[in-house]
Amino acid sequence: MALYTFKEPTVNLGSAQFKVKVIETPLNNIKSEKINKPISSTSYSGINGGFFDGDYNSPPDRPDSISWSYNDQGTGKNYDYNGSPSNQVSRKTFVVYQEGNFYFGATMYARNISQVKSKYPQVREVIGGIGLNKSDWGSDTAYYGPTARTFMAYDGGGSKRFGYLIICPTRINVPAISSILLQLGLDPDDAVVLDGSGSTSMSIPGYKYNGENRYISNMVRLRHLER
């Protein structure tokens, strides 16, 4: 039995109508993974992750968003900061944490993994992004500029146990992301925006979108496709 559902729902923005691409999966099936190459060069299923520093045609110099997995502690794969180690920035961050036998989703503003662990001691996955408020973006150009987008959310109004990995190849601005999430039945407060533009990528059996086929730092992938 498949551990995920792939959907292509139609959304409306003013007079425009187009499809977005959505992977729905239990939160315990999501993993942050350092790859340092295009998603198309991996065998993984999932979407591109957070922001990074470096050129798009070679492995990134370093991540610029938290990319942390409980299972990768001590391996050198995790990156513990939003921003650089010497210039940490509080940004909206996606958290998967465990309570008993269940995994739940949350978002919080954090500068580093220590702040996340302080609030969620049983944290299992952390993916740094940016929030949907105008104040999160720093400039009107970044907030209102249209481009391909990648974002993720959890079902905060439901069980809090399912995650949604979403790309929009159609060029949209940040306010449009909030509208799309609401049309999908998700709360923008329960979402973070990941890297976009030419970095926007998704790979799933039966559907591939590689954007500009850029090198990226990390991806948000599915651990398993089937039970």
Side-chain angles (χ1 to χ4, degrees), residues 32-227:
S32 182
E33 184 81 17
K34 181 178 179 181
I35 61 170
N36 280 341
K37 56 187 173 183
I39 282 183
S40 62
S41 298
T42 78
S43 60
Y44 294 143
S45 290
I47 59 174
N48 63 289
F51 299 85
F52 58 90
D53 273 0
D55 146 346
Y56 297 136
N57 300 308
S58 58
D61 297 333
R62 66 164 176 82
D64 197 59
S65 300
I66 297 173
S67 171
W68 188 93
S69 177
Y70 180 85
N71 295 119
D72 287 340
Q73 293 181 100
T75 66
K77 289 185 176 182
N78 287 338
Y79 185 74
D80 293 350
Y81 312 98
N82 282 324
S84 69
S86 61
N87 185 26
Q88 300 170 32
V89 182
S90 184
R91 296 197 197 120
K92 198 169 188 185
T93 298
F94 194 96
V95 180
V96 178
Y97 66 96
Q98 186 173 6
E99 286 187 359
N101 294 324
F102 300 106
Y103 284 61
F104 298 93
T107 58
M108 65 176 287
Y109 283 81
R111 293 190 305 273
N112 54 54
I113 191 64
S114 296
Q115 290 185 332
V116 179
K117 287 181 175 180
S118 178
K119 187 169 184 178
Y120 297 100
Q122 298 301 314
V123 61
R124 292 296 178 263
E125 306 293 330
V126 185
I127 300 103
I130 296 183
L132 286 143
N133 297 324
K134 186 177 178 182
S135 58
D136 293 322
W137 286 82
S139 75
D140 284 357
T141 300
Y143 186 68
Y144 291 113
T147 191
R149 300 286 178 175
T150 306
F151 45 108
M152 63 186 298
Y154 69 95
D155 61 337
S159 68
K160 298 186 181 179
R161 292 173 54 194
F162 281 85
Y164 299 83
L165 312 182
I166 306 166
I167 67 165
C168 180
T170 301
R171 289 162 57 86
I172 58 170
N173 60 23
V174 176
I177 296 174
S178 293
S179 176
I180 289 169
L181 288 165
L182 291 169
Q183 290 178 60
L184 297 178
L186 300 169
D187 190 332
D189 286 342
D190 301 330
V192 300
V193 183
L194 301 175
D195 198 8
S197 187
S199 297
T200 289
S201 308
M202 176 181 280
S203 179
I204 204 78
Y207 179 78
K208 313 286 181 188
Y209 181 80
N210 295 320
E212 295 177 3
N213 208 33
R214 290 178 179 174
Y215 278 74
I216 61 173
S217 177
N218 75 297
M219 67 180 293
V220 185
R221 72 168 179 89
L222 305 185
R223 293 179 179 273
H224 305 287
L225 296 181
E226 297 181 346
R227 297 184 190 278

